[in-house]
Amino acid sequence: RFDDDARKKAGDDKRLAEKVVPPAEQAAAAPSALARFNGTYSGALLTGGGTVHATLTVDNGRGTVTVIKSGCAPQVFPVVISPAGQVSGAGTLTCILSSGQDAQVGPATIMGGPDGERRFTLKFVTSHSSAAYAISVRRTDG
């Protein structure tokens, strides 16, 4: 009787040990909801003031937006990306971004989100204009 009980308990313990997964392994095994946006997205917009290139680089909910315009130093803005893909960040535009009559320069808010498959629309908004400067970027890796 004792041997049967001991054998049953050993079997139960073994099955329980097989089911228990340490939290670190659980986190590694479960893909992050943010990982689906990981990658590099690039785009360009031709304006009266020249071509503006933008690159969004995303890694698990954090990233950077780099803006390059001829005659200006590259501008890099830190951003965060929500699980729904909403982009938000802030920084200072040191180079004027213009579209038509509107010009964006100075402290800026960056916002945006997915625009179809493998694309984001990024918007730059400053207190100098009621309009946003928008640029579309498309996934260029993977």
Side-chain angles (χ1 to χ4, degrees), residues 36-110:
R36 67 188 175 124
F37 299 113
N38 287 356
T40 302
Y41 303 76
S42 297
L45 184 63
L46 181 59
T47 68
T51 303
V52 177
H53 298 272
T55 302
L56 168 65
T57 304
V58 179
D59 185 17
N60 290 318
R62 302 234 177 258
T64 57
V65 172
T66 303
V67 177
I68 299 173
K69 182 180 174 189
S70 180
C72 297
Q75 300 173 88
V76 180
F77 303 92
V79 293
V80 294
I81 295 83
S82 75
Q86 296 305 304
V87 177
S88 61
T92 301
L93 283 168
T94 56
C95 192
I96 296 173
L97 301 182
S98 61
S99 179
Q101 299 278 330
D102 295 310
Q104 305 289 345
V105 67
T109 300
I110 298 127

